[in-house]
Amino acid sequence: MTTTAPFLKALKLAALALVTLVLASGCGFQLRGTSPVPAALQPLAVDCPDNLPGRFCQSVRDQLTLGGVQVTDSAAQADYILRLRDYRQDRRASAITAQAAAAEYVLRHTVAIELLTADRIPLIASTNLNASETYRYDETNVLAKQREEEELRQQLGHRLAQQVIFRLAPMTRERIDAIIDDYRASQEQAETR
């Protein structure tokens, strides 16, 4: 009888874990790091020019691939094109010491995105996405603060890549079709005027 008690306890724990997993998946829970991009956006070309940070472009591609999206570099082979443009990095002092030196900086990264069909119909018009972070600056520890700033820049690039992915999340087949129908109807009205 004592050998079955641990077995029953383990069985109850396994059943509880299974029920928790089923309930979590049913409520829309998603593991961190998985892409919410719908399958309707396939194949997708990522148009990321050379003047954008390569690490940022690769982060966007990696997150799309992680989410099961077929990513291609050739717009000719894609049904949809994600354009990434105008990546800017800004650093500004946000607090000053009594000696008029910077005590705190704000790092801000911005990128413009646009989503088009292969026929160049805009699904997401050009939109700016921003990510920012504040950090304290210490004149007596310049090298450590430079490393901290570089790490923050990498994190901001990764956050921007996540924002790009989340902007694509609402693009279901129904929504894409509705946007295309609205676009074509507005083009027809413009031509009849």
Side-chain angles (χ1 to χ4, degrees):
M1 182 155 179
T2 58
T3 59
T4 58
F7 175 74
L8 289 176
K9 186 175 181 180
L11 187 61
K12 286 180 185 178
L13 284 173
L16 180 62
L18 181 63
V19 168
T20 303
L21 180 65
V22 168
L23 289 174
S25 65
C27 72
F29 174 78
Q30 203 168 18
L31 287 175
R32 187 171 188 212
T34 60
S35 173
V37 177
L41 288 177
Q42 295 199 48
L44 177 68
V46 178
D47 179 10
C48 197
D50 292 337
N51 63 344
L52 269 68
R55 192 176 285 165
F56 167 73
C57 297
Q58 192 58 47
S59 182
V60 171
R61 287 184 183 101
D62 289 347
Q63 290 186 39
L64 287 166
T65 303
L66 179 66
V69 175
Q70 180 187 348
V71 177
T72 178
D73 288 328
S74 171
Q77 298 173 348
D79 292 339
Y80 303 96
I81 302 155
L82 173 63
R83 283 189 180 162
L84 304 169
R85 298 284 187 272
D86 199 23
Y87 193 96
R88 293 184 308 254
Q89 299 179 24
D90 185 33
R91 176 182 175 224
R92 294 186 182 183
S94 62
I96 306 295
T97 65
Q99 293 78 26
E104 192 173 83
Y105 283 101
V106 174
L107 295 175
R108 183 182 190 97
H109 290 209
T110 305
V111 70
I113 70 163
E114 184 178 24
L115 181 65
L116 306 167
T117 66
D119 302 334
R120 302 300 190 254
I121 296 172
L123 299 176
I124 298 176
S126 185
T127 304
N128 285 332
L129 303 178
N130 301 301
S132 62
E133 187 70 50
T134 303
Y135 74 98
R136 293 190 179 275
Y137 186 74
D138 181 6
E139 292 178 339
T140 62
N141 201 358
V142 174
L143 290 177
K145 288 301 175 177
Q146 286 175 344
R147 282 192 299 270
E148 179 182 1
E149 182 177 332
E150 182 55 34
E151 287 175 18
L152 287 174
R153 287 186 187 280
Q154 291 176 15
Q155 290 174 14
L156 289 173
H158 186 68
R159 277 192 226 159
L160 270 183
Q162 289 175 335
Q163 285 186 38
V164 169
I165 302 305
F166 286 119
R167 280 296 168 117
L168 301 177
M171 290 295 143
T172 61
R173 171 57 42 210
E174 295 79 19
R175 183 154 186 194
I176 291 169
D177 291 342
I179 292 170
I180 291 171
D181 290 344
D182 288 347
Y183 178 82
R184 289 184 176 150
S186 68
Q187 292 299 313
E188 288 174 11
Q189 284 182 344
E191 288 173 5
T192 59
R193 290 185 185 172

